[in-house]
């Protein structure tokens, strides 16, 4: 016969419903102003997971919530120290993130650090600007990078931060990257 050695479950995934959650759980959905609302039907979607830490530190628990187009709009994660991370995403019509915000709290009642991203796209859906900010809830994101593209849709230039550096890309006739030029480096 087959003998199965003692084993420990390393990951559990939940689909289709949120029945695995308990009343008052920190994983339960909470609406956030400025972000889409949760859609009630999660059939076919990953709704949560428990992942065992290999160092024996316990389970990391996570719940995922979706809008009516089945795009992820909120993720709630609780660590073994009862730290909480709540991430919200507002998708564009095409499903790309328009903005996202994550709130990190190391332990219940601890200080909350907020991380915000804002994304801008051109008419074809290419990223044109990325903004980021870290701090309190009212932090204003600053520009991390802006992107320009040539008439063939290839990334032509990437401006980093507030004019910190600029990276220019060159391509051959088959659109293969041939060189990167910057005031900080050059690569061919």
């Amino acid at each position: 016969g087959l003998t199965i050695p003692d084993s420990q479950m390393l990951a559990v995934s939940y689909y289709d419903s949120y029945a695995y959650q308990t009343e008052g759980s920190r994983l339960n959905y909470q609406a956030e102003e400025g972000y889409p609302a949760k859609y009630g039907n999660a059939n076919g979607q990953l709704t949560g997971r428990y992942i065992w830490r290999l160092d024996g530190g316990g389970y990391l628990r996570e719940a995922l919530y979706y809008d009516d187009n089945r795009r992820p709009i909120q993720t709630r994660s609780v660590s073994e120290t009862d730290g909480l991370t709540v991430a919200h995403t507002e998708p564009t019509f095409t499903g790309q993130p328009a903005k996202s915000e994550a709130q990190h709290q190391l332990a219940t009642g601890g200080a909350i650090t907020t991380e915000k991203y804002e994304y801008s796209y051109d008419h074809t859906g290419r990223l044109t600007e990325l903004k980021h900010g870290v701090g309190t809830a009212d932090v204003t994101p600053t520009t991390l990078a802006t992107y320009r593209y040539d008439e063939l849709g290839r990334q032509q230039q990437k401006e980093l931060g507030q004019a910190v550096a600029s990276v220019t890309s060159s391509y051959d006739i088959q659109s293969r990257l041939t060189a990167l030029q910057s005031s900080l480096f050059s690569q061919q």
Side-chain angles (χ1 to χ4, degrees), residues 50-182:
Y50 285 28
I51 301 169
W52 182 256
R53 288 187 42 163
L54 295 178
D55 65 4
Y59 280 101
L60 302 175
R61 303 176 312 255
E62 183 177 59
L64 297 93
Y65 299 94
Y66 303 88
D67 68 4
D68 56 351
N69 289 314
R70 300 187 180 273
R71 300 175 297 201
I73 56 162
Q74 187 177 115
T75 303
R76 301 179 70 82
S77 304
V78 178
S79 70
E80 73 283 353
T81 61
D82 210 28
L84 176 67
T85 296
V86 179
H88 305 278
T89 303
E90 179 186 335
T92 64
F93 177 75
T94 59
Q96 296 172 298
K99 67 178 181 176
S100 63
E101 178 178 316
Q103 299 165 339
H104 308 282
Q105 185 178 34
L106 292 180
T108 304
I112 296 174
T113 301
T114 301
E115 183 177 17
K116 293 183 180 181
Y117 286 92
E118 293 177 3
Y119 309 87
S120 299
Y121 304 93
D122 66 11
H123 65 286
T124 63
R126 297 176 298 209
L127 184 64
T128 57
E129 185 176 40
L130 173 61
K131 293 182 177 184
H132 178 255
V134 176
T136 60
D138 60 351
V139 65
T140 302
T142 58
T143 301
L144 276 183
T146 56
Y147 304 88
R148 288 201 331 251
Y149 302 89
D150 65 15
E151 59 278 353
L152 296 177
R154 303 174 298 196
Q155 184 179 306
Q156 187 176 35
Q157 191 164 30
K158 177 180 180 179
E159 296 279 341
L160 302 173
Q162 304 294 330
V164 172
S166 175
V167 179
T168 303
S169 305
S170 301
Y171 302 88
D172 66 15
I173 196 161
Q174 294 177 335
S175 292
R176 294 180 297 207
L177 184 63
T178 58
L180 295 172
Q181 295 291 115
S182 171

